[in-house]
Amino acid sequence: MNQTLLRFHRLNALFLALFILMHMATHLSGLWGVEAYNQTQSFFRLIYRQPLIEVLLLSSFILQSIVGLVLLVRGWRRVTRHPWGRVQLISGVLVLAFVAQHLTAMALARWGDGLNTNFYWPASVMSGAPFTWYFTPYYFVGVTALFVHFGCGLRLQLLRQGQKARARLAFWLVSLVGALLATLIVVMLLQGFYDIQLPAEWVVYLQGYLPGYQPQ
């Protein structure tokens, strides 16, 4: 049973990786400005916002989280005996928490409040304290943990092929790329590269959680 779940977890991760690559490309395009971000996102949405693909994508994220949680519970003692196992476990828990909150927030903003979850969605919660106190580490840790978890999976695949040196190198390379991407995203959203003016609807959105709030 565990082997079946592991096989699904790995194969499903490859499918989700395609979306994550598009998502990271969208964030990186934001380094060239808000309009570049929104145009890149609109282009990729032509793919993943197709009704069938979107349902499949959301279902894949939910199933990946459930299967990951089941594997975590079943393999807790075995995994925690080894340092690499602990890295995989901790990063997996962080990714699970990040995805659960991200999907919930997306659903509330998009379907609950009727907002277009474009550049201004992440930028809104990074527009000033007290939101930045939570969302700065949230974005940095979430993105970094995602790449660390992928790195753990790639390391195991290479170890199974007897490539010990490449396995370690691949883990650190993927993890460092993730930390770099996380840093660029956070600095960008904190207006480190250019000023960000939130549209009125996003200010109202934030004021729904904190009355009287004004972006800084």
Side-chain angles (χ1 to χ4, degrees):
M1 182 63 173
N2 274 2
Q3 287 302 314
T4 301
L5 291 176
L6 277 169
R7 193 174 298 113
F8 171 83
H9 199 64
R10 294 186 194 117
L11 291 175
N12 196 46
L14 294 176
F15 170 70
L16 292 176
L18 296 175
F19 168 76
I20 291 168
L21 284 173
M22 289 188 283
H23 202 51
M24 289 299 110
T26 298
H27 279 298
L28 283 177
S29 70
L31 298 176
W32 285 268
V34 176
E35 193 60 32
Y37 181 107
N38 289 338
Q39 287 180 356
T40 303
Q41 186 183 58
S42 295
F43 173 77
F44 286 130
R45 279 178 174 178
L46 294 174
I47 302 172
Y48 64 76
R49 284 250 175 127
Q50 294 295 321
L52 181 60
I53 295 177
E54 187 168 28
V55 169
L56 182 60
L57 186 60
L58 289 172
S59 299
S60 295
F61 268 112
I62 293 169
L63 286 173
Q64 190 78 349
S65 300
I66 293 172
V67 171
L69 188 59
V70 171
L71 292 171
L72 170 66
V73 172
R74 290 184 176 181
W76 180 274
R77 292 184 179 179
R78 175 181 54 81
V79 171
T80 53
R81 291 173 187 164
H82 194 280
W84 284 107
R86 290 194 288 273
V87 172
Q88 186 172 16
L89 185 148
I90 293 170
S91 62
V93 170
L94 291 172
V95 170
L96 179 62
F98 179 81
V99 168
Q101 179 172 337
H102 210 56
L103 289 181
T104 302
M106 183 274 294
L108 290 173
R110 179 181 168 190
W111 293 308
D113 296 302
L115 293 166
N116 180 4
T117 51
N118 55 18
F119 176 88
Y120 294 111
W121 178 40
S124 66
V125 294
M126 296 287 277
S127 62
F131 295 104
T132 50
W133 298 344
Y134 175 79
F135 284 99
T136 297
Y138 165 82
Y139 279 115
F140 179 80
V141 173
V143 173
T144 301
L146 179 64
F147 278 81
V148 168
H149 202 61
F150 270 127
C152 288
L154 181 57
R155 172 184 168 275
L156 285 174
Q157 286 297 108
L158 290 171
L159 284 176
R160 290 189 183 97
Q161 298 171 17
Q163 302 182 50
K164 189 174 181 179
R166 287 187 179 181
R168 184 182 293 271
L169 178 62
F171 168 80
W172 285 111
L173 183 60
V174 171
S175 299
L176 289 173
V177 167
L180 176 60
L181 285 174
T183 300
L184 289 173
I185 290 169
V186 167
V187 172
M188 175 186 69
L189 294 175
L190 287 173
Q191 306 186 58
F193 300 119
Y194 47 82
D195 291 334
I196 300 170
Q197 298 296 322
L198 291 182
E201 63 266 27
W202 284 102
V203 177
V204 172
Y205 171 77
L206 293 174
Q207 290 174 342
Y209 294 94
L210 187 64
Y213 174 80
Q214 288 296 327
Q216 298 171 11

